[in-house]
Amino acid sequence: MARNSAYYSLGKVKSLVKSGNCSINSKARVTARNDFGWDFSDITNAILKLQHSHYYKTEKKYDDPSVFVDYYRANNLMGENVYIHFRVENDCLVICSFKEI
């Protein structure tokens, strides 16, 4: 299900990061480290720099169609071209993928 705008507001996403309500799955951590040399704080700083223009699409989560996942493609985000997707569950931002475009 593609949409014209993100399911989760960037304001809410950034607020969750700032309040520490953010989880990064192990695959996203490994690819961020391997692709960019980034750690948890680099990833969260990059999320805080996302813009509406970076939004790519929204889809339902493959194993739970009641949950939506927002996808972003950001060129030159902190000097890197980054592909990110995340969802919000139980008032926590869950970063599922974080890798080089």
Side-chain angles (χ1 to χ4, degrees):
M1 174 187 144
R3 297 169 42 104
N4 292 329
S5 62
Y7 187 80
Y8 306 105
S9 82
L10 270 181
K12 173 69 172 179
V13 166
K14 292 177 182 184
S15 175
L16 290 171
V17 170
K18 289 176 185 175
S19 66
N21 294 324
C22 179
S23 171
I24 305 170
N25 75 20
S26 60
K27 181 181 175 186
R29 285 181 192 242
V30 168
T31 56
R33 184 181 64 241
N34 291 345
D35 291 357
F36 313 120
W38 290 3
D39 61 13
F40 184 92
S41 65
D42 295 313
I43 294 169
T44 56
N45 285 333
I47 295 291
L48 294 175
K49 294 181 183 307
L50 282 177
Q51 301 296 314
H52 296 285
S53 62
H54 297 140
Y55 171 74
Y56 174 58
K57 67 180 179 177
T58 296
E59 292 185 341
K60 292 181 180 182
K61 188 171 180 248
Y62 69 92
D63 62 348
D64 184 353
S66 69
V67 176
F68 291 89
V69 179
D70 281 344
Y71 294 74
Y72 283 75
R73 290 181 175 176
N75 291 316
N76 200 25
L77 184 67
M78 296 174 38
E80 301 289 352
N81 297 326
V82 184
Y83 181 79
I84 304 164
H85 61 83
F86 55 76
R87 66 185 184 272
V88 175
E89 286 188 12
N90 301 318
D91 211 30
C92 179
L93 178 68
V94 180
I95 300 170
C96 311
S97 179
F98 200 99
K99 60 187 177 182
E100 186 173 20
I101 292 175

